[in-house]
Amino acid sequence: DVKVTQSSRYLVKRTGEKVFLECVQDMDHENMFWYRQDPGLGLRLIYFSYDVKMKEKGDIPEGYSVSREKKERFSLILESASTNQTSMYLCASSILGLAGGLDTGELFFGEGSRLTVL
Amino acid sequence: AQKITQTQPGMFVQEKEAVTLDCTYDTSDPSYGLFWYKQPSSGEMIFLIYQGSYDQQNATEGRYSLNFQKARKSANLVISASQLGDSAMYFCAMRSLAGGFKTIFGAGTRLFVKA
């Protein structure tokens, strides 16, 4: 079974702190993603990576950065946390799939990290 | 721009009845995939079903089926014989060739199954 592990389920940080959210997957997936989930907004993509040291901005990258030094690990960094970054953060991974039926490219998710910024 | 729309914030269904969760999508890419995920109250996201844009038949997985109407750009999830354990948030999602490797999600529908 694919396992995606996020380092912390719950975090409480103060405004201005630097926050690291770690994600590790054990299935040699090429793609890794960071989403944030907010009520009524669904999941919004922050950043994704399709290879080591490669990263692409998602829809809401402002205030975040990422790091992928090893294939299995994808880190989300909040350089200076703000209260509007209080949210549930979900990491996911997938194979390098092609849309349209060649393979599903389904996402495998971690359990989520609920971050509260005070 | 690509977009997923789920217009039902919440729905109720009686146990053992069927329920349809609506999803419409927008893309100009002819090659795309559509997904449904379930998120129980425990928080984990569970992949349910996939439909490729070139698939001729509607996808089915056990009690889940995807009513794919390409011309209308809709991909509704049908859950047959609802169970109490089906109470959860359900997200429709899409991934397209032109969109790269990104999967975009709708806002979700919360389903409540009544005993």
Side-chain angles (χ1 to χ4, degrees):
Chain A
D1 277 353
V2 175
K3 190 165 179 65
V4 179
T5 304
Q6 295 184 228
S7 54
S8 305
R9 288 296 303 272
Y10 301 95
L11 303 94
V12 180
K13 298 292 182 181
R14 296 205 175 272
T15 301
E17 281 192 77
K18 191 169 186 175
V19 181
F20 292 88
L21 298 179
E22 304 284 343
C23 176
V24 177
Q25 52 94 3
D26 65 359
M27 281 300 291
D28 202 35
H29 283 173
E30 292 86 357
N31 299 336
M32 296 191 74
F33 307 81
W34 276 106
Y35 289 88
R36 66 175 280 177
Q37 182 180 2
D38 300 289
L41 298 177
L43 280 70
R44 292 179 292 166
L45 182 63
I46 305 171
Y47 268 97
F48 67 103
S49 169
Y50 53 89
D51 202 352
V52 175
K53 296 191 185 296
M54 305 301 289
K55 61 185 179 184
E56 294 276 347
K57 292 180 180 180
D59 299 318
I60 51 164
E62 296 80 18
Y64 303 94
S65 62
V66 290
S67 172
R68 192 167 183 198
E69 296 296 318
K70 294 184 178 181
K71 190 175 185 179
E72 68 271 18
R73 186 178 297 269
F74 193 36
S75 302
L76 180 69
I77 303 153
L78 289 66
E79 294 289 342
S80 178
S82 63
T83 55
N84 63 12
Q85 292 177 311
T86 291
S87 187
M88 170 69 87
Y89 290 87
L90 293 169
C91 175
S93 71
S94 75
I95 59 173
L96 193 69
L98 295 176
L102 292 180
D103 55 64
T104 68
E106 73 197 70
L107 296 175
F108 294 85
F109 284 87
E111 292 182 311
S113 298
R114 185 166 293 282
L115 172 67
T116 300
V117 182
L118 302 175
Chain B
Q2 300 186 73
K3 190 177 181 182
I4 293 282
T5 302
Q6 295 179 256
T7 57
Q8 306 154 313
M11 286 195 69
F12 287 87
V13 64
Q14 197 68 38
E15 194 179 10
K16 299 181 185 177
E17 291 185 352
V19 62
T20 298
L21 306 183
D22 294 341
C23 173
T24 58
Y25 60 92
D26 189 19
T27 181
S28 56
D29 193 338
S31 182
Y32 54 89
L34 297 156
F35 304 79
W36 278 91
Y37 290 86
K38 173 184 179 182
Q39 187 180 43
S41 56
S42 54
E44 78 272 25
M45 293 281 284
I46 303 165
F47 165 71
L48 295 178
I49 196 166
Y50 167 83
Q51 179 86 42
S53 60
Y54 297 119
D55 294 343
Q56 295 298 313
Q57 295 193 329
N58 287 344
T60 60
E61 289 286 348
R63 293 186 299 110
Y64 304 109
S65 60
L66 200 152
N67 184 1
F68 181 46
Q69 298 188 41
K70 198 169 182 177
R72 297 181 59 189
K73 293 189 175 179
S74 75
N76 298 340
L77 177 70
V78 180
I79 305 174
S80 63
S82 297
Q83 301 173 355
L84 296 178
D86 293 334
S87 293
M89 279 290 287
Y90 289 82
F91 292 98
C92 181
M94 178 175 68
R95 186 164 163 269
S96 74
L97 202 58
F101 304 109
K102 298 194 298 184
T103 300
I104 61 170
F105 287 79
T109 296
R110 184 169 293 281
L111 178 67
F112 300 92
V113 180
K114 299 182 291 184

